[in-house]
Amino acid sequence: GCLLPVGALASVESGKLTLTARVVSPDGSVSVQESASGPADQAEALGYHLANRMLEAGAAEILGSL
């Protein structure tokens, strides 16, 4: 079953990568969603950037409460 309330979506169009991620509290009352776009050949850096934005926006608190 699902143990962590997280989701991610990635798409590439014309060499541009778009990442969207979401973290939701277990009861669904709090959520954090962020997106980031950039060159597809810099996917790892884009992922780290998005992860840091998510943590700063409150994902750390949601995940820390599990």
Side-chain angles (χ1 to χ4, degrees):
C2 181
L3 299 177
L4 294 176
V6 298
L9 174 68
S11 63
V12 177
E13 187 173 325
S14 301
K16 179 181 173 184
L17 174 64
T18 300
L19 301 174
T20 301
R22 181 178 233 182
V23 176
V24 182
S25 63
D27 67 0
S29 65
V30 179
S31 69
V32 174
Q33 180 171 318
E34 295 283 339
S35 295
S37 297
D41 64 352
Q42 296 180 10
E44 185 175 357
L46 189 62
Y48 278 111
H49 172 73
L50 180 57
N52 285 327
R53 282 184 33 204
M54 293 285 296
L55 293 172
E56 290 172 3
E61 288 78 12
I62 293 171
L63 295 172
S65 70
L66 300 178

